Amino acid sequence: MSEFFGFGGYQRQPEGYFSWQHLTFVSCLMVVMVVLAVVLGRRYAKRPMERKDRVLLVAAILIDGFEIFKIVMFCLRSRDPMGWTHDLPLFLCSIQLITIPMAALCKGRLKEAALDFVCIFGVLGAVLGTYFAGQNYAAYPVLSLDNVVSGITHSISGFTSLYIMISGMASMKKENVWITFTILLGFCVAAYVANVALECNYMFLMAGDGTPYDILFDLLGGHPVLYPLGVVALFVVYILIFYAIFSRIRAGKRVPC
């Protein structure tokens, strides 16, 4: 157990990024994520919104609970009471720690925007945070606190996104797009300020750090201004593409056979 939690440092060598152990572990998580989303999404598709919200509430409690547990363990492991400053919820995937509870508990347009945000970024975050998390799987053993909890929380985000789509909770109203952009850009600004103040790399705005963002970082030569702006631009483009595809699919379903 001491080795799993990493007290005194991990003694095992990391199996490696894209090793069979890494791919097997995250693939198991993805299978569970998809199966649960399909089963629960279809079960609650015709239920009242209040019943659908219960699943979201459970997901919100689980994702926040696991993340709080991880941060507490990191502080105990490092014996640094301020260690939490390097684990703030300022990554793209970490925004779901806030937006999933909002989707479960809020009402009106704020709820709709939160549902749409989780829907848009949940699956993307799940894939990037498991299969393409080179910063984790190259540094820590697969079955370790760092990777197991990270894998679980990213899978919860992906599950919630799929569940929202399958159960019919996503609205994707054009008048709510500005709220989605505001949530994202607000976190980007907060992440950049934290990066400068704490010398971190939240939202990967400072460097790719072993993730696919390395491609953009290399293309822009690591430019301190163009690179973070490029990352934000990718987020915006992704949102617009997601909205366009979702609208096209929804329009297609309304066409009589």
Side-chain angles (χ1 to χ4, degrees):
M1 293 302 293
S2 177
E3 173 64 14
F4 174 82
F5 288 111
F7 288 104
Y10 292 113
Q11 302 304 309
R12 291 171 293 151
Q13 290 294 321
E15 292 84 352
Y17 183 40
F18 280 149
S19 64
W20 71 264
Q21 294 94 332
H22 166 210
L23 295 178
T24 300
F25 174 65
V26 298
S27 294
C28 289
L29 290 175
M30 293 297 101
V31 169
V32 174
M33 176 188 85
V34 173
V35 170
L36 285 177
V38 171
V39 171
L40 293 177
R42 297 183 64 180
R43 177 181 298 177
Y44 286 89
K46 297 182 180 180
R47 304 285 180 87
M49 184 64 76
E50 293 75 15
R51 297 291 300 276
K52 295 179 181 180
D53 284 343
R54 295 179 185 178
V55 177
L56 294 181
L57 184 58
V58 172
I61 293 171
L62 287 175
I63 193 171
D64 284 359
F66 274 110
E67 191 67 20
I68 292 171
F69 170 74
K70 183 184 75 172
I71 292 173
V72 170
M73 292 304 299
F74 281 178
C75 290
L76 291 175
R77 190 171 70 182
S78 64
R79 298 180 181 179
D80 180 7
M82 296 302 292
W84 58 270
T85 58
H86 293 274
D87 290 287
L88 296 172
L90 292 175
F91 286 104
L92 179 63
C93 306
S94 304
I95 302 176
Q96 310 291 15
L97 300 173
I98 299 171
T99 51
I100 293 178
M102 287 173 58
L105 300 173
C106 292
K107 303 294 182 183
R109 293 184 65 182
L110 190 58
K111 179 183 185 68
E112 291 177 348
L115 285 168
D116 291 349
F117 190 95
V118 176
C119 181
I120 292 169
F121 286 106
V123 174
L124 176 68
V127 174
L128 292 179
T130 53
Y131 286 105
F132 296 100
Q135 78 282 9
N136 278 356
Y137 290 95
Y140 313 115
V142 171
L143 296 181
S144 62
L145 173 70
D146 300 73
N147 286 329
V148 170
V149 174
S150 176
I152 291 173
T153 54
H154 283 87
S155 298
I156 293 174
S157 294
F159 157 79
T160 310
S161 174
L162 291 174
Y163 169 78
I164 289 171
M165 285 188 275
I166 296 171
S167 64
M169 298 181 76
S171 63
M172 293 296 168
K173 294 179 180 177
K174 293 181 179 179
E175 58 266 31
N176 292 334
V177 175
W178 70 271
I179 302 178
T180 302
F181 281 130
T182 300
I183 293 172
L184 176 64
L185 295 178
F187 272 91
C188 286
V189 171
Y192 191 80
V193 171
N195 288 340
V196 174
L198 303 173
E199 296 184 355
C200 297
N201 190 25
Y202 291 118
M203 299 283 279
F204 300 105
L205 293 176
M206 312 307 284
D209 200 14
T211 68
Y213 293 113
D214 276 332
I215 299 173
L216 179 64
F217 187 85
D218 293 339
L219 285 174
L220 297 175
H223 195 282
V225 175
L226 293 180
Y227 170 70
L229 289 177
V231 172
V232 175
L234 287 177
F235 295 153
V236 173
V237 170
Y238 174 74
I239 292 175
L240 295 175
I241 292 175
F242 192 98
Y243 264 92
I245 294 175
F246 192 94
S247 298
R248 181 67 61 88
I249 294 174
R250 174 175 286 175
K253 288 183 177 179
R254 291 175 181 170
V255 177
C257 297

